Each structure stands twice: as C-alpha cells, then as structure tokens.
C-alpha cells in the first residue's frame, strides 16, 4: 500500500504533459479547398442578384479554374451568366449529398472503429461467416454498418398505421429503402400504348377511364379481367342513352335543349337527330374497317388508397392486355395495391410470387406491411418465416430492423422455429430494435457503444421497461429466455444497460445459483419448449464442416456439423467434452466452471433448416425431436444421436436446444 501511495502522489505532483499543436496546412491549400467548396455558389450568383457585370477576362489574363462540386466540371469562380449547362451542374453539386465514406468518417465514434472490425453485438465471437446479402464490418469492405452513429431524435414514433402514406403524385416512401431498380415513365399513359402494341390490338380504344386526374384509353374486351372495371363498364353501359354525339359541344347543346321548357318536343327531336347518331348504326357501318365498333364510354374510378400511383395503375391496366404477368421487383408493392383495388386476381397472384421470391433484409418489412394491409396470407407467412431465420443473422445488421412491427416481433420471438446464435444475441437484437423504435428518424445502423450508452444514461431509479415509455415493449422482452445467458461479461452488459427490471434479473441469478449448486439441474424450469437454452450457427457451402463449444452450468459440449463427400448429405450431433479436452482452450476456460459429475441427464433437440432444392422460396425443417440421454465421459456415452439429412442446399441453419432436468 505504501508503494502504491508513493506512486500516485508522485504522479500527481509531476507536471502534466501537453502535446504540441498540430501544424497548420499551407495557406495556398486552405484557400484552394475553400474556393472549391464555394465555387458552385459563386457560379449561381446571377448578375441581378449581386448587381455585378459578368467577368470578362482579357486574352492576356489567365483565369484559375475551380471544380464545381462533385460534377468534375471546371469553371471560373464567377457568375455563369447564361451558361445553362454550367448552372445545372452547379445546382447538382450543391444538392448532392456527401459520399458514404465521408459520412462514416464524420459520424464514427473513432477513426479506429470506422475502419476495423469491432467486437460488437453479432461479431465473429459466434464463428459465423457473412452471407452474400449480409452486411458486416471489415477493414477490407466499404460497408461499415455498426460503426455509424446518428444524432438522437427524441420525438415519439407512431406505431400504426405503417409509415407508407403518400400523395398520389409522389413516390412511395419505401422506394428509398428497397434497393431495387424502379424505372419511372414521365407519361404513364404511354405504358398502355406499349402493352396494347404487344397484344396486337388493331382497334381504337372505346373506353375512357378517368382516374388519378388522367384519362386512360382502354378496350372493353380486355376489361373483364378486372372485376371492378367490368362492373363499372356494365353500369356505364346500362345508364348510357345508346347514342353517340358528334362532339362534346353538341352533347352540351342537346342536353340544354332537352332540359329546357322553352322548346317544343318536335324541336328537341330535331336537335337530337342533328347532334347525335344511333350507336347501332355506327357499329354496323364501321364493322371490319379497323375503327371503333362501339360507342366510346366514359368510366370514372375513384381511388382513395394512398399506396396507388399513376405508375402502378399504368402497369396494372397494361396487364389487362397480356396473357402472362411480368412484374418488376421494385414495383411489386404498388402493383399489388392497385391489383387488389381493381380485384385483378391474376396480377395479385403474380405480385405475391414476386414478393416471396425476393425476400431480403431490404424488402421483408415493406412486403410484410403490404401483405397485412391487403390480407395476403401467403406473403405474410413467407415474411414471418424469413424473420424467424434471419432476425438475428441478417436483419439485426441493417437499419431496416426498425420497420418490424411490435405485434410481428412478439409472434416471431414466441416461435419454436426462430434461429439465434445464442440467447444473448437475441437479447441484443431486441436492444437494437428498441433503440430504433425510440429514434424513428435514424438513417444509420447504431454501434453497440451508442446503444449501451443511451440506455445506461437514463435514471437508475428504475429500469426502462418499468418506465411509462417502456411498458409497451415489456411483452417482447418477456419472450426472451434470459436464464440462457450464463456468461459473466454478458450479464454485466445486461445490468449496465438497465433495460430489464431488477426482479427479472434476480430470478435469473437465483436460477444460475441453484443450477450450479445442484449439479446443473434446472429445477426452476419444467417446460422444455420454454426453458431450453438455444444455440446455433450457419453452415455455408465451404468448407462443409463446423464445430462450436456449448457451455451450460459447468458442462461443456461440442456441436458438430459436417458434409459427407461432395454430395448434399450432412450430419449433426453433440458430444460431451472432458475438462482436459484439447478443444477447450485455456483462455476460454480460465474462469469457466467445470462439473465433475460422471454423467449428466440431458434433454436436447437438433434442428436443421435449409432451402428446398426445387424452390428457393420453400424452406425445409428437419428435427430429431426432443430426445433424452445420459451423457458420460467415455466414448460410448459421450456422443448424442446423429441427425442425418440428404438433399440439403446451403445456407444451412443449425440449432441446438439443451435442457438439464433434475437427476
């Protein structure tokens, strides 16, 4: 103690070290950078605004040219005058956002975090390799999602209805989130002409559909595919006078004369004959001449659904002329909304198939909202199935996690098919989701340090779930199996964040204490489906082999999965390890607990989930069922039953559930 006190006092008495200020860059470099940034604004300064004449350099004067923002166009730092091309590029330079590299460098918590792999929520501690569509932090990758922070916004998020409301003249709000190509036509009516030409339609349109402030030229023979349009057409034909007027003015004149009491009936009849003709006579005279064979009918369609746009309406009406439906991925949601309102069953089915086959972290939440809104059970089931597998492995790495509805998340967490690397990974995914619910304007994926600092900075008089704003989220956190978190550092993080109530944590610590004192018996948990601890990993195509160490209450197991030969056959099993097994590294087990019991009664379940070979959208699940075995330390009793599956295609999601009943 004396030596320590002397050292501290000496440090306090020593003079503090103050680093020297960094040298300033040369003035010419600073001036050049400043002028480059203000060049677009100087170029857009007009003659009238600044009351200056345009700069007219002489032939002997050499003008220094500066870059106009990100357009790579070099211009004089003076007013552009009548240069329209230069003005357009200057406007583009001003309105363009900064590059992703600049944003990451300025918003990262430190320079090291922005370029290196951080041991964050879902890092390499679980030994998983990133899928093709899974973002991950790497020094060699440009995408660094976990290293980005964003200014906290305190406004409360509206949980319902989904944030998809829009005006009919603007693009849908999910267009920026779904990373798909979305070609827009300046004149959507031209799409109908294209589809009509594909159908080799020779006759002129005989129906004018008035919708969304535009007139759509259609043919009545093709409108039977839509139940709504067919009903509107029949109603318009039943109310029509079966006479065709020469023009709109003649129709107004005849209507005025017919309703007036000044004119006699003979005069009204003469006016009707002069301004219109019988529709049947027109049809007989023009049949077979390639012109209209029916009088033109005006149909009015009222649309109040904010998900419908002119672009989607043009595509939907164009599909009336096609025998097969072709819907782009980026238009699937809008076209689905339009097809459901038009009761176009064939197009609705096609949109559902496109959405199911293109599920990913960018689109699953948008597709789920659309499926719930328009009651498409097949799409809802496919989205929930995707979330069960990828909630932790993929969606937790993207900002789209915030779009998962609370009701859907509760249902996913209660599912027996949900995949997770361990219980702590599921807890941290839920923390990410909660942070994004409290910050709906977040555009970047927050880092682990940001999430932990935010929740730990709140008052510690009570946990977050016990506060008024945290009560709506207590159901989701109540679905977690917190007793499956046994690592000391992980439990410290849970306590530090102060999200879970103290009564819940006390129950978890009490369970751990009794389990360690009772030789691993989980006496407080009687139900395997709710009490088993879950572990898992993802097996890619190569190298076709993977193993992990599973530790629970002093017992250690090795979970193995391997491929046989070059085929599509895999086997998975569990094997108990001795305390002296070389697979247990000293660093990992230096502070670990080891039980010296010769045998341990274990209730376990092995599960494999993988895509079908025939259809990517279909997933197969194969399980060993709930098995019970007494694991020993010799070769005969140390290995579990082997689950062998054939016709398996990566990625393969492998799960292990462990439960120690009293023995």
């Amino acid at each position: 103690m004396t030596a320590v006190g002397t050292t501290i006092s000496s440090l306090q008495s020593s003079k503090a070290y103050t680093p020297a200020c960094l040298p300033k860059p040369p003035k010419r470099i600073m001036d050049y950078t400043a002028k480059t940034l203000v060049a677009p604004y100087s170029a857009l300064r007009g003659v009238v605004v600044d009351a200056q004449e345009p700069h007219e350099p002489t032939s002997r004067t050499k003008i220094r040219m500066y870059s106009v923002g990100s357009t790579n166009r070099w211009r004089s730092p003076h007013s552009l005058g009548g240069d329209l091309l230069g003005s357009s590029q200057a406007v583009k330079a001003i309105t363009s956002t900064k590059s992703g590299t600049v944003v990451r460098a300025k918003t990262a918590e430190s320079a090291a975090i922005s370029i290196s792999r951080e041991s964050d929520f879902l890092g390499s501690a679980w030994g998983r390799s990133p899928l093709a569509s899974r973002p991950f932090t790497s020094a060699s990758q440009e995408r660094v999602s976990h290293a980005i922070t964003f200014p906290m916004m305190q406004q409360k998020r509206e949980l319902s209805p989904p944030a998809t409301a829009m005006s009919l003249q603007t693009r849908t709000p999910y267009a920026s989130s779904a990373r798909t190509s979305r070609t827009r036509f300046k004149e959507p009516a031209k799409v109908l002409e294209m589809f009509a030409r594909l159908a080799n339609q020779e006759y002129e349109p005989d129906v004018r559909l008035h919708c969304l402030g535009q007139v759509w030229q259609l043919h009545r023979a093709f409108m039977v595919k839509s139940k709504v349009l067919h009903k509107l057409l029949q109603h318009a034909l039943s109310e029509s006078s079966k006479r065709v007027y020469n023009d709109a003015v003649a129709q107004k004149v005849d209507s005025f004369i017919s309703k007036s009491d000044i004119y006699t009936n003979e005069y009204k009849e003469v006016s009707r004959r002069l301004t219109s003709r019988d529709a049947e006579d027109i049809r007989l005279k023009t049949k077979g001449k390639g012109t209209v064979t029916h009088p033109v009918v005006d149909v009015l369609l009222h649309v109040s659904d904010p998900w419908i746009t002119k672009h989607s309406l043009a595509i939907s009406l164009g599909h009336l002329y096609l025998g097969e439906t072709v819907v782009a991925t980026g238009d699937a949601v809008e076209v689905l909304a339009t097809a459901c309102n038009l009761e176009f069953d064939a197009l609705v089915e096609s949109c559902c198939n496109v959405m199911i086959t293109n599920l990913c972290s960018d689109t699953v939440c948008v597709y789920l909202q659309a499926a719930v809104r328009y009651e498409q059970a097949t799409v809802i089931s496919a989205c929930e199935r995707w979330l069960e597998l990828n909630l932790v492995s993929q969606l937790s790495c993207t900002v789209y996690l915030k779009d998962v509805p609370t009701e859907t998340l509760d249902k996913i967490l209660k599912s027996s098919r949900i995949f997770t690397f361990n219980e702590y990974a599921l807890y941290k995914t839920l923390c990410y989701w909660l942070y994004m619910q409290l910050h709906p304007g977040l555009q970047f994926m927050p880092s682990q340090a940001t999430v932990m600092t935010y929740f730990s900075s709140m008052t510690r008089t009570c946990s977050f779930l016990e506060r008024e704003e945290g009560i709506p989220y207590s159901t989701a956190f109540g679905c977690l199996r917190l007793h499956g978190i046994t690592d000391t550092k992980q439990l410290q993080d849970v306590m530090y964040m102060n999200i879970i109530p103290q009564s819940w944590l006390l129950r978890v610590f009490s369970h751990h204490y009794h389990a360690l004192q009772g030789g691993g018996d989980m006496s407080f948990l009687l139900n395997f489906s709710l009490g088993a601890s879950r572990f898992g990993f993802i097996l890619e195509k190569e190298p076709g082999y993977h193993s992990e160490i599973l530790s629970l209450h002093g017992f250690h197991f090795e979970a193995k999965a391997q491929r046989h030969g070059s085929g599509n056959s895999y086997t998975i099993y569990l094997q108990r390890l001795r305390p002296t097994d070389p697979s247990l590294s000293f660093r990992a087990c230096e502070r670990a607990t080891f039980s010296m019991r010769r045998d341990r009664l274990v209730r376990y379940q092995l599960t494999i989930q993988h895509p079908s070979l025939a259809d990517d959208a279909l997933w197969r699940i194969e399980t060993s069922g709930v098995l019970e075995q007494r694991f020993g330390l010799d070769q005969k009793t140390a290995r579990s039953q082997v689950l062998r599956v054939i016709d398996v295609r990566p990625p393969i999601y492998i799960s292990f559930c462990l439960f120690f009943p009293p023995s």
Side-chain angles (χ1 to χ4, degrees):
M1 295 296 294
T2 304
V4 174
T6 303
T7 304
I8 296 176
S9 61
S10 61
L11 290 175
Q12 293 176 348
S13 61
S14 61
K15 186 178 180 180
Y17 169 73
T18 304
C21 299
L22 296 175
K24 295 183 179 181
K27 186 175 182 300
R28 59 183 180 82
I29 297 180
M30 298 297 294
D31 294 343
Y32 179 80
T33 304
K35 290 181 180 180
T36 303
L37 294 177
V38 302
Y41 300 93
S42 301
L44 291 176
R45 220 174 24 240
V47 178
V48 178
V49 177
D50 54 18
Q52 296 179 2
E53 293 294 333
H55 184 71
E56 297 180 358
T58 62
S59 58
R60 297 181 181 180
T61 305
K62 186 176 181 180
I63 301 292
R64 179 74 179 266
M65 312 297 281
Y66 300 100
S67 175
V68 183
S70 60
T71 61
N72 198 25
R73 178 179 172 89
W74 294 81
R75 277 290 176 184
S76 170
H78 299 281
S79 176
L80 291 173
D83 189 350
L84 300 181
L85 177 59
S87 301
S88 175
Q89 294 186 345
V91 172
K92 178 182 177 182
I94 293 176
T95 57
S96 63
T97 58
K98 296 183 180 296
S99 64
T101 305
V102 177
V103 172
R104 285 192 296 272
K106 291 189 175 182
T107 59
E109 296 176 355
S110 66
I113 294 180
S114 64
I115 60 174
S116 62
R117 182 187 300 273
E118 59 176 332
S119 60
D120 53 1
F121 285 0
L122 304 174
S124 58
W126 299 304
R128 62 182 175 91
S129 58
L131 297 174
S133 61
R134 180 190 305 155
F136 62 97
T137 308
S138 174
S140 61
Q141 296 289 336
E142 183 180 351
R143 298 181 61 184
V144 186
S145 58
H146 290 281
I148 300 174
T149 59
F150 196 78
M152 300 181 183
M153 304 180 69
Q154 300 297 335
Q155 65 268 26
K156 187 173 180 59
R157 183 183 183 186
E158 297 181 1
L159 299 180
S160 61
T164 52
M166 60 190 172
S167 64
L168 297 178
Q169 305 298 332
T170 59
R171 293 178 60 180
T172 51
Y174 56 80
S176 58
S177 62
R179 300 176 182 176
T180 52
S181 60
R182 300 168 58 82
T183 304
R184 295 288 174 175
F185 294 90
K186 294 183 179 179
E187 299 181 9
K190 297 292 185 181
V191 180
L192 282 180
E193 299 180 5
M194 177 184 66
F195 281 104
R197 288 194 299 268
L198 292 175
N200 297 324
Q201 181 61 30
E202 300 178 355
Y203 300 104
E204 293 294 329
D206 51 9
V207 177
R208 289 192 296 261
L209 176 64
H210 301 265
C211 184
L212 299 182
Q214 191 166 346
V215 179
W216 310 85
Q217 304 289 341
L218 300 175
H219 298 79
R220 66 179 64 182
F222 296 92
M223 297 176 64
V224 294
K225 294 183 179 180
S226 171
K227 298 179 182 178
V228 172
L229 295 180
H230 183 63
K231 293 179 181 178
L232 291 176
L233 178 61
Q234 296 298 327
H235 179 71
L237 292 176
S238 62
E239 293 186 352
S240 64
S241 60
K242 296 184 179 181
R243 297 192 65 85
V244 179
Y245 289 92
N246 299 332
D247 49 34
V249 177
Q251 182 179 1
K252 293 181 179 179
V253 171
D254 182 67
S255 177
F256 174 78
I257 295 176
S258 300
K259 296 178 181 179
S260 178
D261 298 334
I262 302 176
Y263 304 97
T264 62
N265 293 334
E266 292 80 4
Y267 187 86
K268 293 179 180 179
E269 184 64 25
V270 173
S271 174
R272 187 177 296 107
R273 289 199 305 266
L274 294 176
T275 57
S276 63
R277 291 173 294 173
D278 186 71
E280 184 63 20
D281 295 340
I282 298 177
R283 188 187 70 82
L284 294 176
K285 293 179 180 180
T286 59
K287 185 176 181 180
K289 295 183 180 181
T291 58
V292 63
T293 60
H294 297 285
V296 178
V297 180
D298 292 283
V299 178
L300 180 61
L301 176 62
H302 296 282
V303 174
S304 59
D305 193 339
W307 289 47
I308 299 178
T309 62
K310 292 183 179 180
H311 180 77
S312 62
L313 182 59
I315 295 178
S316 301
L317 296 178
H319 276 84
L320 295 173
Y321 296 90
L322 297 183
E324 297 180 358
T325 55
V326 181
V327 181
T329 305
D331 301 323
V333 174
E334 293 181 357
V335 176
L336 174 66
T338 309
C340 290
N341 281 270
L342 296 179
E343 297 183 15
F344 194 166
D345 297 337
L347 187 57
V348 170
E349 182 180 359
S350 178
C351 292
C352 292
N353 293 334
V354 171
M355 296 165 67
I356 292 174
T357 55
N358 290 277
L359 286 174
C360 62
S361 58
D362 302 348
T363 59
V364 61
C365 296
V366 177
Y367 288 171
L368 180 60
Q369 292 178 0
V372 172
R373 182 183 180 92
Y374 299 105
E375 300 178 354
Q376 300 300 319
T378 56
V379 181
I380 295 176
S381 178
C383 292
E384 292 178 349
R385 187 73 181 94
W386 190 95
L387 288 173
E388 291 173 353
L389 290 173
N390 302 285
L391 179 65
V392 176
S393 60
Q394 292 191 42
L395 197 61
S396 60
C397 303
T398 66
V399 74
Y400 306 109
L401 179 65
K402 65 181 180 181
D403 298 326
V404 180
T406 306
E407 299 78 7
T408 303
L409 186 63
D410 295 344
K411 185 177 180 179
I412 298 300
L413 294 175
K414 295 178 182 178
S415 174
S416 60
R417 301 181 300 182
I418 186 174
F419 173 84
T420 180
F421 300 108
N422 51 44
E423 300 298 339
Y424 186 53
L426 197 59
Y427 164 78
K428 289 191 290 187
T429 300
L430 206 56
C431 292
Y432 268 131
W433 173 83
L434 177 59
Y435 180 83
M436 294 179 182
Q437 298 299 304
L438 300 176
H439 302 80
L442 197 66
Q443 300 297 327
F444 301 100
M445 190 67 186
S447 64
Q448 178 183 1
T450 301
V451 177
M452 295 185 64
T453 304
Y454 174 77
F455 288 107
S456 62
S457 62
M458 296 183 178
T459 176
R460 306 197 68 88
T461 56
C462 62
S463 64
F464 176 80
L465 296 182
E466 294 175 326
R467 299 164 61 91
E468 182 179 358
E469 61 270 24
I471 293 178
Y473 309 105
S474 59
T475 304
F477 280 87
C479 299
L480 299 176
R481 303 179 187 180
L482 297 176
H483 58 270
I485 305 176
T486 58
D487 185 79
T488 304
K489 295 182 179 180
Q490 296 175 356
L491 289 173
Q492 289 178 351
D493 290 343
V494 175
M495 297 177 59
Y496 176 73
M497 295 177 71
N498 197 30
I499 297 177
I500 306 299
Q502 293 295 325
S503 59
W504 295 16
L505 295 177
L506 181 61
R507 186 164 58 250
V508 171
F509 293 144
S510 177
H511 169 76
H512 291 345
Y513 175 81
H514 286 280
L516 292 174
Q517 294 296 324
D521 293 348
M522 298 181 179
S523 56
F524 282 79
L525 305 172
L526 302 178
N527 192 344
F528 177 84
S529 60
L530 299 178
S533 297
R534 296 168 293 189
F535 306 88
F537 55 83
I538 302 175
L539 186 63
E540 303 292 345
K541 185 175 182 180
E542 297 298 338
Y545 172 85
H546 188 81
S547 65
E548 284 194 7
I549 305 300
L550 311 182
S551 302
L552 185 63
H553 301 318
F555 295 90
H556 304 270
F557 301 85
E558 184 178 12
K560 294 184 178 181
Q562 60 183 0
R563 183 182 60 198
H564 294 278
S566 59
N568 298 324
S569 177
Y570 290 81
T571 58
I572 62 172
Y573 59 91
L574 283 171
Q575 184 173 353
R576 185 184 174 186
L577 301 177
R578 293 174 174 270
T580 58
D581 194 285
S583 301
L584 300 173
S585 63
F586 174 77
R587 183 177 181 180
C589 303
E590 181 181 6
R591 298 177 179 271
T593 303
F594 288 86
S595 177
M596 303 306 297
R597 292 186 58 172
R598 298 288 302 178
D599 56 357
R600 171 70 257 179
L601 182 63
V602 180
R603 197 172 295 162
Y604 64 95
Q605 182 178 3
L606 313 178
T607 306
I608 293 181
Q609 302 181 68
H610 60 90
S612 174
L613 292 176
D615 189 355
D616 295 343
L618 298 179
W619 281 75
R620 294 172 54 189
I621 177 171
E622 302 186 36
T623 177
S624 63
V626 180
L627 304 176
E628 190 170 281
Q629 178 180 337
R630 191 171 294 274
F631 283 81
L633 296 176
D634 55 352
Q635 294 183 355
K636 294 182 179 180
T637 59
R639 178 176 294 190
S640 69
Q641 295 188 20
V642 178
L643 176 61
R644 185 184 301 271
V645 291
I646 59 176
D647 297 334
V648 180
R649 190 183 68 177
I652 307 171
Y653 295 77
I654 303 175
S655 302
F656 302 86
C657 296
L658 297 179
F659 182 79
F660 297 163
S663 61

